Amino acid sequence: MPGSEAAAAIICRGLSKTHPGGVEAVAEMDLAFSEGLTTALIGPSGCGKSTLLRLIAGLDMPSGGTVSILGRTPAEQRREGAISVAFQDPSLLPWLTVQQNVALARRLARQEPDPDHVARLIALVGLDGFAATRPAALSGGMRQRAAIARSLVTRPRILLLDEPFGAVDELTRRQLARDLPPLWQGRGTTAVLVTHSIDEAVTLSDRILVLSPRPARIVADLAVPLPRPRPADLDQNPQFRAIASLALAALSCG
Amino acid sequence: MTPRPGLIGAILLLIGWQALAMELSLGLILAGPLEILRWLFEHSGLVARALGRTASNAAAGFLLGNFAAIFCAAIAVLWPRLQDLVLGLALAGFCLPLIAIGPILRVLMGPGEGPQIVLAALAVHFTTLAALLIGLRAVPAVWLDLVHSYGRGRFSELWHLRARAALPYLFAGLQIAAPAAFLGAMVGEFTGAERGMGVLTIRYMRALDVPALWSVALVAATAAMLAHAAIGALARKLLREDPPLLLAPPRVPAARSSLLGPVILAIAVIGLWAAAIRLAGLSPFFAKGPAEVAAALFHDPALRDGLMRALGQSAGLAAAGYLAGLAGGAGLAVLVTLRPGAAGFVLPLALALRAVPIVTTGPLIVLLLGRNALGTVSLVAIMIFFPSFIACLHGLRQAPGQILDLFRVHAAGPLAQMLHVRLAAMLPAFFAAARMGVPAAILAVTVVEWLVTGRGLGSLMALAASTSDYRMLWSAVALVTVIAMLCHAGVAAIERRVLGVYAPEQMRP
């Protein structure tokens, strides 16, 4: 089984998912995600990586197998407020301000209001001065920042990122990928990132799992031993290029 | 769209109207604006008192019906299994023939304001409920995922997402409900109230007082339009956006069994009916339960023949008016879309007139067109025309821009765009209007028959009420309600087949 189970925060055993209509998205997968690390799942479009993330979050029920998060079921962990999901669509509520959108996550997670923490996170994601703004007046990148702030405000132990920078332009995407990960990395948060960008996976993660076309199975398990914090010109680094070409090779023959 | 063409249109209309009324032969049935103004000036106290009474009853019914709708919508969202039943019961309430329910309520509730308020509530309940259910479902799946990702369920969905997302739809429903409540209150007054616009309508109808009849209708229509406009203004102030143009999306039945739902609904309706009579301890002379109505319909040939004869007279007129109204509404919408210049003139007029409770002006229209089939058919058609026109126009504008661009790239003209793209885009709106038009057509035909022509089901129900023939009255109510629901279901079935081909995206659950 890939990943050491001793320090695993998320353990999937025999996980499978067949959608109604008979499409097999995930077939018999065994997986473990190490505590405190960021793991990227990359694979071709429609390979089932988002489905895998939804199974881990418990948003979809598996057709077979189990998911265990820190020894408990996803449903139990969700009720504890231990899980946060950042979606590809920032999914901010249009009638709430940035501050209210971020604070909403604490209410949903049954946590005490903490206006200072909310304000600090809004500043940390670079939205200082926009706390009272509604989403319609923000750019795509700013909405994405607000959504990341919302997903972090509950201090989740498990952070699930479903192509969180997928809907913004390339420049903004690079900047978000550089600015935001330090907010959860090195703080004990176990993160799973779904992406189809090899560069993003190498930049953000400690480990990359390359998935095959549907039904998803793991074709490569790559460590990313690059030091943190990772500089802006990381993609010029030979080690970065080496890992990226390994991932590309795995993706091409998967 | 500037207001100017609308304004010019209104002025032209007024001048034309006055000129027509001054034509001697028409003066017997048509009052001009000047006559109406004089009559209103001379009878201002009377009209003000009547309007106050009707407006307060309409407001009470409006509140009652809409609170009930909000309650039912919350139940349907929190317990989705109950949704079909809640919606079906509300539809049954909407399909009850108001003019037969009026006399029944009059006996139950006595001479006060009760029946007017209940009828106003019945007239608004279903439309608001339908609007709310669309709004409560107008929530992107990813928002629901957000709530679920923190381990929260349906109450949180409702509280944090659905309630707020539904507000624009609620206001759109309330806008339609305002004139409907006015209409319900007036129909209630037709059945023997002491005061109100409905009472004045009946009185002047009997006396054939043309200026008075026109004045009362005009005041009622203006009051309803103002209520409609006021709710629109309130919505814009509160939400900083226009209420959506309301469309009832097709009902996608649960996959398991298409027969189970109607059977459960029928059992629920019959059970509620029998239980209500039993629990209220009503006199068996007056209150007829399901068993007695069934016995009357199956074992009393005289009653059944009378009912069927009346049904035959009404059904033809209602169907003709219904089809004419739908075709006219869709046809004009197509024409206006092909010649966009016309929209600036026609649309403001149609938007203003759709708020008129047409049925309350029914006597006038029949007066103008005659106490014959043509007058009745025309009134039904007008009742259906405005909502279909506005819905279809909206639908035609929903044609996807990129596909239209594709046609433009190949230099295909407006007609080709209409045939290949826009007509298909119009279908969901057209069918939504067609479904909602079924009870409206039945209401229109029965009111005209009752007040004016003295034929058909409307007249039969009025006669049964005045001669205390309660077996006939309850049988007629049951029959009309069942037929209205069957027609509604029939239109919905055609809608599902057509949209399954032309707008499959509308058919997702």
Side-chain angles (χ1 to χ4, degrees):
Chain A
M1 182 182 297
S4 130
E5 229 179 284
I10 305 170
I11 300 169
C12 308
R13 283 210 179 83
L15 200 58
S16 66
K17 176 71 182 177
T18 306
H19 289 300
V23 177
E24 198 177 27
V26 178
E28 288 281 326
M29 193 175 272
D30 289 316
L31 264 177
F33 297 91
S34 310
E35 188 162 9
L37 296 185
T38 299
T39 306
L41 298 174
I42 62 172
S45 301
C47 77
K49 50 192 191 298
S50 285
T51 304
L52 186 55
L53 202 75
R54 293 179 65 83
L55 292 176
I56 293 172
L59 292 173
D60 287 341
M61 285 295 118
S63 312
T66 59
V67 176
S68 158
I69 297 179
L70 300 164
R72 304 171 70 181
T73 66
E76 287 167 338
Q77 293 291 6
R78 276 186 292 141
R79 280 196 290 275
E80 296 288 312
I83 300 180
S84 266
V85 185
F87 302 94
Q88 178 172 13
D89 179 301
S91 63
L92 303 172
L93 304 189
W95 54 82
L96 300 182
T97 63
V98 167
Q99 194 270 339
Q100 289 165 330
N101 263 297
V102 174
L104 175 68
R106 289 190 70 87
R107 292 179 65 188
L108 289 175
R110 299 181 174 85
Q111 296 177 349
E112 291 295 310
D114 188 347
D116 293 340
H117 183 47
V118 171
R120 206 161 43 243
L121 263 174
I122 290 174
L124 276 175
V125 297
L127 288 178
D128 230 351
F130 291 93
T133 309
R134 280 177 218 280
L138 300 177
S139 70
M142 290 160 93
R143 284 180 214 165
Q144 225 37 275
R145 289 170 186 270
I148 296 285
R150 181 181 63 193
S151 67
L152 294 173
V153 78
T154 55
R155 299 195 170 87
R157 300 184 66 185
I158 305 292
L159 178 62
L160 304 172
L161 304 138
D162 189 0
E163 297 191 37
F165 312 134
V168 291
D169 65 86
E170 181 65 25
L171 275 180
T172 312
R173 187 186 172 98
R174 282 170 179 249
Q175 195 176 9
L176 292 176
R178 206 167 53 235
D179 290 355
L180 300 180
L183 298 178
W184 71 80
Q185 284 169 344
R187 294 166 190 238
T189 303
T190 306
V192 180
L193 166 75
V194 162
T195 176
H196 53 239
S197 155
I198 292 174
D199 280 14
E200 194 169 285
V202 184
T203 309
L204 284 170
S205 61
D206 304 296
R207 174 182 170 213
I208 299 174
L209 297 177
V210 184
L211 303 184
S212 68
R214 204 172 52 209
R217 78 203 144 67
I218 293 162
V219 292
D221 184 350
L222 309 168
V224 186
L226 296 167
R228 293 189 190 278
R230 296 181 177 167
D233 58 356
L234 181 71
D235 55 356
Q236 308 301 320
N237 178 325
Q239 203 180 356
F240 180 104
R241 298 272 38 115
I243 299 168
S245 42
L246 274 177
L248 182 61
L251 208 49
S252 323
C253 60
Chain B
M1 185 190 353
T2 60
R4 209 184 281 158
L7 189 68
I8 294 171
I11 292 170
L12 285 177
L13 203 70
L14 277 177
I15 294 173
W17 179 5
Q18 183 66 40
L20 270 179
M22 283 157 74
E23 167 73 25
L24 198 61
S25 57
L26 278 173
L28 293 173
I29 49 172
L30 177 66
L34 297 176
E35 274 173 287
I36 290 174
L37 277 179
R38 188 167 62 231
W39 191 91
L40 284 176
F41 184 72
E42 285 165 3
H43 299 82
S44 55
L46 176 72
V47 171
R49 279 194 302 277
L51 183 63
R53 179 60 61 90
T54 303
S56 76
N57 287 337
F62 180 83
L63 288 178
L64 188 68
N66 285 320
F67 274 121
I70 291 171
F71 179 74
C72 291
I75 287 185
V77 165
L78 289 175
W79 292 283
R81 279 167 188 280
L82 292 179
Q83 177 170 308
D84 286 351
L85 187 61
V86 168
L87 205 62
L89 287 175
L91 179 64
F94 190 54
C95 287
L96 288 173
L98 289 187
I99 68 156
I101 292 300
I104 288 176
L105 290 171
R106 183 61 66 196
V107 175
L108 276 178
M109 307 176 87
E113 311 297 327
Q116 293 91 301
I117 294 175
V118 173
L119 287 193
L122 270 179
V124 304
H125 178 257
F126 177 74
T127 46
T128 302
L129 176 62
L132 265 176
L133 284 179
I134 305 166
L136 289 167
R137 280 190 243 140
V139 173
V142 64
W143 293 3
L144 300 178
D145 283 344
L146 177 72
V147 168
H148 300 162
S149 71
Y150 293 106
R152 294 301 199 97
R154 292 207 187 95
F155 279 96
S156 288
E157 281 175 23
L158 181 60
W159 181 252
H160 291 291
L161 306 176
R162 296 188 192 271
R164 177 58 184 76
L167 272 188
Y169 294 83
L170 173 65
F171 274 106
L174 293 182
Q175 247 191 322
I176 294 174
F182 215 82
L183 180 149
M186 278 182 72
V187 172
E189 287 165 356
F190 291 166
T191 66
E194 286 156 6
R195 191 180 282 173
M197 302 298 279
V199 176
L200 292 186
T201 305
I202 295 266
R203 187 192 298 167
Y204 297 130
M205 185 72 213
R206 302 237 160 95
L208 268 184
D209 185 340
V210 171
L213 210 46
W214 275 91
S215 306
V216 169
L218 194 72
V219 169
T222 309
M225 281 199 280
L226 286 179
H228 183 273
I231 291 173
L234 183 70
R236 276 188 294 276
K237 199 167 170 61
L238 286 178
L239 303 175
R240 299 190 208 100
E241 61 186 296
D242 278 323
L245 210 135
L246 196 60
L247 294 177
R251 298 277 307 116
V252 182
R256 44 198 155 80
S257 161
S258 53
L259 263 179
L260 196 63
V263 170
I264 293 175
L265 179 62
I267 292 172
V269 169
I270 292 171
L272 281 174
W273 176 8
I277 287 178
R278 181 76 54 84
L279 292 177
L282 301 177
S283 134
F285 166 70
F286 159 69
K288 305 296 179 194
E292 284 162 288
V293 166
L297 285 173
F298 291 112
H299 301 301
D300 183 344
L303 180 145
R304 189 175 57 216
D305 291 348
L307 205 50
M308 287 303 158
R309 200 164 42 246
L311 177 66
Q313 291 168 348
S314 301
L317 299 179
Y322 174 77
L323 294 176
L326 275 181
L332 188 64
V334 167
L335 279 181
V336 163
T337 305
L338 286 175
R339 300 216 144 267
F345 178 75
V346 179
L347 192 60
L349 200 65
L351 280 173
L353 288 180
R354 82 164 162 176
V356 174
I358 299 287
V359 164
T360 62
T361 60
L364 294 183
I365 292 169
V366 175
L367 212 57
L368 280 172
L369 297 167
R371 289 172 189 263
N372 49 28
L374 178 68
T376 312
V377 170
S378 304
L379 185 90
V380 177
I382 291 171
M383 183 96 173
I384 308 297
F385 170 82
F386 287 107
S388 338
F389 169 65
I390 291 167
C392 288
L393 198 58
H394 176 74
L396 289 167
R397 289 178 179 176
Q398 301 300 304
Q402 293 195 345
I403 298 185
L404 289 177
D405 282 346
L406 178 74
F407 275 71
R408 289 188 193 110
V409 166
H410 294 291
L415 204 59
Q417 291 175 27
M418 176 64 70
L419 285 176
H420 296 287
V421 188
R422 290 193 192 270
L423 280 183
M426 185 188 85
L427 287 173
F430 174 80
F431 277 108
R435 253 183 304 129
M436 298 300 275
V438 169
I442 290 171
L443 174 67
V445 82
T446 50
V447 167
V448 175
E449 285 169 345
W450 179 30
L451 291 183
V452 190
T453 64
R455 289 162 55 85
L457 276 175
S459 171
L460 181 76
M461 290 192 279
L463 193 69
S466 62
T467 57
S468 305
D469 184 355
Y470 292 115
R471 245 162 36 102
M472 175 63 93
L473 190 60
W474 286 83
S475 303
V477 169
L479 185 70
V480 171
T481 307
V482 167
I483 288 175
M485 293 190 72
L486 287 178
C487 291
H488 190 278
V491 174
I494 298 172
E495 173 182 32
R496 280 195 294 272
R497 298 210 62 162
V498 174
L499 295 193
V501 176
Y502 286 98
E505 80 285 350
Q506 298 276 337
M507 301 302 292
R508 279 190 215 116

